[in-house]
Amino acid sequence: DSINLNYIENAFDFDMAMLNWRKVTETNFNVVEFEASFGISNQIKHSCCPEFVFAGRSNVGKSSLINKLFNRKKLARVSSIPGKTATINFFKSEAVRFVDLPGYGYAKTSKNEKSRWSELINSYFLGNRNIAIVFLLLDVRNKPSKEDIIMIDMLKNLCLLNGISGD
């Protein structure tokens, strides 16, 4: 229902997008495997299929959610220490990639490392990606942080934020 079709420029693109969406809806999501990790933006491979992106603060539960969705305890690396996901991690199914972005905000790390993560996330979103949906995870126990608001604004500006859901 909420497919963002803003990038489609002609009928051929529309047909290809609908074909890709049919592949997504027919995908066996029980068959998901780790594909690759990238710590530098110029390492990231071209987007070849729709990408479901998980974004949010450090330690908000992005990797845990990925593991829970696929009923796998060790698909995505999880740690109780914030900032362990320092790379963009790609997981591939038959027709979809799932993308686990590094967290932002809370992690106690150097300014250089935080700057690298910020550049990596910005380059990912500003690159020519086939982003189907972004799941921005927020901790409902706390008010959105300054970094959460910046991410929400960026996703709005890129037409990647269609709605906000929460309890």
Side-chain angles (χ1 to χ4, degrees):
D1 282 13
S2 61
I3 302 172
N4 183 351
L5 299 178
N6 292 338
Y7 67 94
I8 297 176
E9 296 178 5
N10 60 45
F12 176 76
D13 287 342
F14 179 78
D15 289 341
M16 290 306 295
M18 294 316 295
L19 177 64
N20 285 339
W21 189 249
R22 275 190 221 104
K23 286 181 187 175
V24 169
T25 58
E26 295 169 2
T27 294
N28 179 356
F29 289 107
N30 291 317
V31 183
V32 175
E33 60 187 40
F34 174 78
E35 182 179 17
S37 289
F38 301 106
I40 301 171
S41 58
N42 64 7
Q43 295 175 324
I44 300 172
K45 295 179 182 177
H46 184 69
S47 185
C48 64
C49 56
E51 295 179 346
F52 290 19
V53 182
F54 295 84
R57 290 177 57 85
S58 293
N59 223 35
V60 75
K62 299 176 298 296
S63 300
S64 295
L65 177 59
I66 289 170
N67 288 337
K68 194 70 167 171
L69 286 171
F70 303 111
N71 198 26
R72 307 255 303 272
K73 291 182 180 182
K74 295 183 179 180
L75 180 63
R77 185 175 174 199
V78 176
S79 173
S80 61
I81 301 167
K84 283 296 181 183
T85 304
T87 55
I88 295 181
N89 300 308
F90 291 86
F91 304 89
K92 189 164 186 175
S93 69
E94 296 168 1
V96 179
R97 273 193 179 133
F98 298 89
V99 183
D100 187 8
L101 295 179
Y104 54 81
Y106 180 76
K108 292 181 181 178
T109 189
S110 70
K111 287 184 180 182
N112 285 344
E113 187 69 358
K114 285 182 183 179
S115 177
R116 185 183 67 81
W117 293 350
S118 178
E119 189 276 331
L120 190 59
I121 293 168
N122 287 333
S123 293
Y124 173 81
F125 281 118
L126 296 174
N128 188 18
R129 309 301 308 171
N130 187 359
I131 298 172
I133 190 167
V134 177
F135 298 97
L136 177 59
L137 278 60
L138 301 175
D139 186 343
V140 295
R141 298 170 296 182
N142 301 306
K143 289 183 179 181
S145 68
K146 180 179 98 174
E147 291 88 359
D148 289 328
I149 301 300
I150 290 170
M151 179 63 81
I152 290 168
D153 289 342
M154 181 174 77
L155 294 174
K156 281 181 187 176
N157 290 335
L158 295 171
C159 299
L160 293 173
L161 186 68
N162 297 323
I164 298 176
S165 176
D167 294 319

